[in-house]
Amino acid sequence: MERKDEIGELARSFDRMAMTIQRYSDAIIAERDRAEEEKSRAELCLDIMCHDANNFNQVAMGSLELLEGSEKLPGELKALASSARTAVEGSARLIDSVQKIQRVASGEYTKERLDISDMINEALREAYKPPDKKVEIRYSGQKGMVVEAASLLKEAFSNVINNAIKHSGPEVVVDISHREAMVDGRRCYEVSISDNGPGIPDDVKEKLFRRFQRGTTRALGKGLGLYITKMLVEMFGGKVWVEDRVPGDYSKGCRFVILLPAAEP
């Protein structure tokens, strides 16, 4: 039997409030489930598109390489085949970047103890080697700089090194160094990657790590490499920035700095 006094009214108010909260809760759960379903569907479509596009690219590159190597093909057509192959390779790099962003955003990685020197050396072995450039990379590795991260972090170093090679002139010099530093009372490792390229003006430095932002050279690219670098470095508690190689004169090349917290002993 319902009470008619103030206590009864208070109880009815609580009942109405509970029903309202339940309705909102049900609506939020339903919306979350729809969002998860849409996310899964989008990821599936992206996986299928990347897989199929990569297959198409592999077939196209194989055919174009055969055409370039054919003695029967006139020189003018060989040049066109070479240009087409470069475009297909660019498409493959774009797909690779999209897949890396997807892995980072979805948290598909396992943390482990990694040596910075090992990651840099691996990045150097895989570095972009254009036939029309003389590339000199100066680096003396130092073992023992251990961080807690995923192996995907190597891509941060690869992107910066490849950018230095791609955007510099015909004679490229890349200097890589590192040191231990204390930042806000925490032991960190600071990696500097410098080049002798055209440099980056201050107004471009500020937005260089944004998605689809490109530098000032005419080198081909989609502006995703440094965006991925920033995502990876920050995911593992670090920072990345760019500065002039020669302070105050951006035209003398640039220096990318990656700061990462050291792993606990």
Side-chain angles (χ1 to χ4, degrees):
M1 182 175 178
E2 288 191 3
R3 296 181 59 156
K4 304 297 185 181
D5 56 8
E6 291 180 355
I7 294 177
E9 183 58 36
L10 183 61
R12 287 189 290 276
S13 295
F14 275 120
D15 286 342
R16 288 193 295 270
M17 185 184 301
M19 290 175 64
T20 301
I21 291 172
Q22 185 62 51
R23 283 198 302 273
Y24 279 120
S25 177
D26 291 344
I28 290 170
I29 291 171
E31 190 61 35
R32 184 197 63 192
D33 290 344
R34 281 195 295 273
E36 286 291 334
E37 187 178 343
E38 289 297 325
K39 179 173 177 286
S40 297
R41 190 179 296 118
E43 288 176 347
L44 176 61
C45 290
L46 183 60
D47 287 341
I48 293 171
M49 288 173 62
C50 288
H51 177 268
D52 288 352
N54 267 330
N55 286 341
F56 295 148
N57 283 339
Q58 290 300 321
V59 172
M61 279 194 282
S63 299
L64 290 167
E65 285 172 358
L66 286 173
L67 283 174
E68 286 181 90
S70 172
E71 295 181 358
K72 297 179 181 178
L73 199 69
E76 195 173 300
L77 291 181
K78 280 189 179 183
L80 288 174
S82 177
S83 177
R85 181 173 57 81
T86 300
V88 174
E89 288 172 347
S91 171
R93 286 193 297 271
L94 177 59
I95 292 168
D96 184 54
S97 294
V98 170
Q99 289 176 316
K100 285 168 186 171
I101 291 173
Q102 184 186 20
R103 285 177 61 193
V104 172
S106 63
E108 294 178 9
Y109 60 85
T110 303
K111 272 189 176 184
E112 54 186 306
R113 293 173 67 86
L114 299 170
D115 194 296
I116 288 177
S117 180
D118 290 341
M119 287 188 283
I120 292 175
N121 281 320
E122 185 178 353
L124 292 177
R125 285 193 293 272
E126 299 173 357
Y128 176 53
K129 299 177 178 67
D132 58 338
K133 290 189 178 189
K134 179 183 176 183
V135 179
E136 179 184 358
I137 299 178
R138 300 190 287 226
Y139 174 59
S140 299
Q142 175 187 331
K143 300 284 286 184
M145 298 184 301
V146 179
V147 297
E148 284 192 10
S151 57
L152 193 60
L153 180 62
K154 184 264 298 180
E155 298 298 329
F157 300 106
S158 290
N159 288 337
V160 175
I161 292 167
N162 287 334
N163 257 33
I165 296 170
K166 184 190 301 183
H167 296 287
S168 294
E171 295 190 2
V172 187
V173 178
V174 179
D175 285 295
I176 304 174
S177 62
H178 35 60
R179 68 184 183 94
E180 189 174 311
M182 292 297 294
V183 179
D184 297 329
R186 183 168 186 181
R187 191 164 61 95
C188 297
Y189 298 118
E190 184 182 283
V191 180
S192 296
I193 302 173
S194 306
D195 64 61
N196 63 336
I200 301 169
D202 290 342
D203 61 324
V204 178
K205 286 187 183 79
E206 297 173 2
K207 51 192 176 184
L208 195 62
F209 296 95
R210 296 177 190 171
R211 185 167 44 182
F212 302 123
Q213 178 64 43
R214 296 176 57 190
T216 55
T217 70
R218 297 191 178 191
L220 294 174
K222 301 297 181 183
L224 284 171
L226 294 178
Y227 172 71
I228 294 172
T229 293
K230 185 173 186 289
M231 285 182 68
L232 288 168
V233 171
E234 291 182 351
M235 178 174 293
F236 301 112
K239 296 179 181 178
V240 59
W241 65 92
V242 62
E243 56 193 29
D244 297 332
R245 184 174 66 87
V246 177
D249 187 353
Y250 81 83
S251 66
K252 295 292 192 294
C254 60
R255 173 182 291 111
F256 282 84
V257 184
I258 295 175
L259 184 73
L260 292 164
E264 296 296 330

